[in-house]
Amino acid sequence: MTVPEGWRCCSLGSLVSTMRNGYVCKQSRSGEGYPISRIETISQGVIDLNAVGYADIPLPEREKFKLQIGDILLSHINSLKHIGKSALYKEDFDLYHGMNLMLLRAKKGKITPEYLHSLLTTTDARSHFRRFAKQAINQASLNKQDISQLEVLLPPLPEQKKIAAILSS
């Protein structure tokens, strides 16, 4: 494959500053406590505030697990059909990173969150995730290494912004 000038091949792991699991706790749908992401929160490829859970989250964990604009939540524990689904956190409202979703935070100056999210929605990425998923009864999972090894084409930042703008319109 010919790589356009200024573009390069690299691993997903080299493009993120943070890749971690969410806060593990008991969740409810009662509306009491702090809103926390669940697998259902991103099932449609966007963050659905009507599909969050609620939990008592102590202050140190709230500081660590509060989502930041540009964070990406990736379904790394799910049925094989849904493994690798993702959503980009675009608006600043209180939402905390819950279990069964992997948080990816783009490295500033290397990749834009919007372009990173667009890469995760490609057929190649979803195929990679399905290929590396470890399967158990009715559930599949990916670990950090499986996710990190995804090879992507990375254009210069100005190109990333243009591509992401086109894809989001």
Side-chain angles (χ1 to χ4, degrees), residues 12 74-75 80 83-85 104 119-134 140-142 146-148 150:
L12 179 68
L74 177 79
S75 182
L80 191 59
I83 202 87
K85 282 190 174 181
L104 304 175
L119 290 174
L120 295 172
T121 63
T122 65
T123 303
D124 286 346
R126 295 294 301 277
S127 294
H128 170 90
F129 296 144
R130 285 189 191 105
R131 188 170 53 254
F132 283 92
K134 281 78 173 165
S141 64
L142 294 164
D146 300 329
I147 297 165
S148 293
L150 174 67

Side-chain angles (χ1 to χ4, degrees), residues 42 50 56 59 96-97 103 124-125 133 138:
I42 69 162
N50 294 313
D56 291 322
L59 182 59
Y96 297 87
H97 173 211
L103 179 133
D124 286 346
N138 297 325

Side-chain angles (χ1 to χ4, degrees), residues 80-148:
L80 191 59
K81 177 182 175 183
H82 298 290
I83 202 87
K85 282 190 174 181
S86 62
L88 176 64
Y89 181 74
K90 298 179 189 180
E91 300 175 38
D92 193 16
F93 46 83
D94 281 345
L95 183 60
Y96 297 87
H97 173 211
M99 60 188 165
N100 297 336
L101 293 171
M102 185 74 70
L103 179 133
L104 304 175
R105 190 167 288 152
K107 277 188 183 174
K108 289 183 171 49
K110 277 200 161 203
I111 189 167
T112 67
E114 296 81 9
Y115 185 74
L116 176 57
H117 183 246
S118 70
L119 290 174
L120 295 172
T121 63
T122 65
T123 303
D124 286 346
R126 295 294 301 277
S127 294
H128 170 90
F129 296 144
R130 285 189 191 105
R131 188 170 53 254
F132 283 92
K134 281 78 173 165
Q135 295 189 57
I137 299 171
N138 297 325
Q139 194 170 41
S141 64
L142 294 164
N143 61 35
K144 285 181 176 183
Q145 184 176 350
D146 300 329
I147 297 165
S148 293

